[in-house]
């Protein structure tokens, strides 16, 4: 399954989760505006382990356009190699701020 990229307001997080039938209890999320490269690497590694083992969780990146280029590069491999049941959601105000390789 390819990552789902949503463009628009990311402030109403509970509304987004409800619209996409995602439970807060089964959602691993990070706010790109509040993370650095070390924290993001740790979050991605944790997500890979949990998502691969359990399969009922979804990974959500709020404000994805605010990820640094280094963080976006860290995200490429997990997006390419994830299992079919794994769900990644990237929410961004501006899609053009994401790397073209993430969008493709």
């Amino acid at each position: 399954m390819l990552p789902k990229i949503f463009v628009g307001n990311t402030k109403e997080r509970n509304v987004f989760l409800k619209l996409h039938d995602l439970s807060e209890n089964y959602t691993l999320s990070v706010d790109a505006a509040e993370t650095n490269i070390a924290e993001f690497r740790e979050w991605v590694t944790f997500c890979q382990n949990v998502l691969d083992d359990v399969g009922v969780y979804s990974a959500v990146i709020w404000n994805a356009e605010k990820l640094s280029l280094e963080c976006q590069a860290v995200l490429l491999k997990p997006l390419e190699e994830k299992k079919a049941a794994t769900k990644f959601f990237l929410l961004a105000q501006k899609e053009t701020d994401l790397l073209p390789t993430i969008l493709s």
Side-chain angles (χ1 to χ4, degrees), residues 43-83:
W43 181 82
V44 167
T45 301
F46 177 76
C47 284
Q48 284 180 292
N49 293 333
V50 170
L51 295 172
D52 285 350
D53 290 344
V54 182
V56 296
Y57 286 88
S58 297
V60 178
I61 301 175
W62 307 103
N63 300 305
E65 79 282 1
K66 294 185 180 178
L67 286 172
S68 68
L69 294 178
E70 293 87 0
C71 287
Q72 290 185 51
V74 166
L75 189 58
L76 290 174
K77 187 173 182 178
L79 289 178
E80 292 172 354
E81 296 179 356
K82 64 186 177 28
K83 293 182 180 178

